[in-house]
């Protein structure tokens, strides 16, 4: 990894430490949580205005994208590529956003399903990219994996 990148990470950490010292972690958490709640409410209002068919479509696409992501993780794993961590993280976040499978038929917060859709599509794209690169080269070290 590049020294400049590592240096920037440390500078960012120091700026965050100063910010947390000045503002306080409690205030920062409250501010972020409030902004997140307002964002969820705004997205939910927009989805509510667009109607139930769009919310149902988003929910269906989110579940389908999750299944695609898991299948791609299994394929990557069979090829010896790292995928378990991504599968665990995306699954936990998906369940946090969408709830347990027996709750999927109930109407949940519309923005949660939209976030779940974005999460699973992002994960599926990550696994697709990993599978398409096919191990031709190891980007992190510049060495060939063959």
């Amino acid at each position: 990894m590049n020294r400049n990148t590592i240096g920037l990470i440390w500078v960012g950490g120091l700026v965050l430490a100063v910010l947390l010292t000045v503002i306080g972690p409690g205030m920062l958490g409250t501010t972020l949580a409030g902004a997140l709640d307002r964002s969820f409410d705004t997205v939910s209002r927009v989805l509510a205005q667009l109607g139930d068919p769009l919310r149902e479509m988003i929910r269906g696409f989110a579940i389908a994208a999750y299944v695609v992501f898991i299948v791609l993780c299994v394929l990557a794993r069979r090829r010896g590529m790292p995928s378990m961590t991504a599968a665990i993280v995306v699954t936990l976040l998906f369940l946090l956003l969408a709830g347990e499978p027996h709750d999927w038929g109930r109407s949940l917060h519309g923005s949660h399903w939209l976030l779940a859709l974005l999460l699973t599509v992002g994960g599926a794209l990550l696994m697709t990219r990993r599978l398409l690169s096919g191990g031709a080269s190891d980007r992190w070290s510049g060495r060939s994996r063959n």
Side-chain angles (χ1 to χ4, degrees):
M1 182 168 262
N2 186 329
R3 286 182 185 239
N4 291 336
T5 304
I6 294 171
L8 286 174
I9 292 169
W10 276 101
V11 168
L14 289 173
V15 169
L16 180 62
V18 169
L19 183 66
L20 288 171
T21 302
V22 171
I23 295 176
M27 180 63 147
L28 183 65
T30 303
T31 304
L32 290 175
L36 196 59
D37 282 342
R38 285 190 300 277
S39 298
F40 281 166
D41 290 340
T42 301
V43 170
S44 287
R45 278 195 302 272
V46 169
L47 290 174
Q49 290 174 351
L50 295 173
D52 287 337
L54 181 65
R55 284 196 304 263
E56 293 295 326
M57 186 178 78
I58 289 172
R59 183 177 13 207
F61 273 77
I63 294 168
Y66 175 73
V67 171
V68 167
F69 168 73
I70 292 299
V71 169
L72 291 172
C73 283
V74 169
L75 288 175
R77 181 78 175 155
R78 293 179 103 189
R79 290 186 179 180
M81 298 175 182
S83 64
M84 283 303 284
T85 303
I88 291 169
V89 169
V90 169
T91 296
L92 290 176
L93 289 173
F94 184 80
L95 290 175
L96 180 72
L97 290 169
E100 297 177 18
H102 62 80
D103 292 331
W104 290 353
R106 298 184 190 136
S107 179
L108 294 173
H109 205 280
S111 59
H112 289 185
W113 280 106
L114 183 60
L115 288 173
L117 174 62
L118 294 174
L119 170 75
T120 54
V121 167
L125 289 174
L126 172 77
M127 283 298 128
T128 300
R129 185 173 145 217
R130 192 171 283 175
L131 285 165
L132 289 177
S133 69
S137 67
D138 186 353
R139 279 196 185 125
W140 302 112
S141 67
R143 295 182 307 233
S144 175
R145 292 176 79 173
N146 294 333

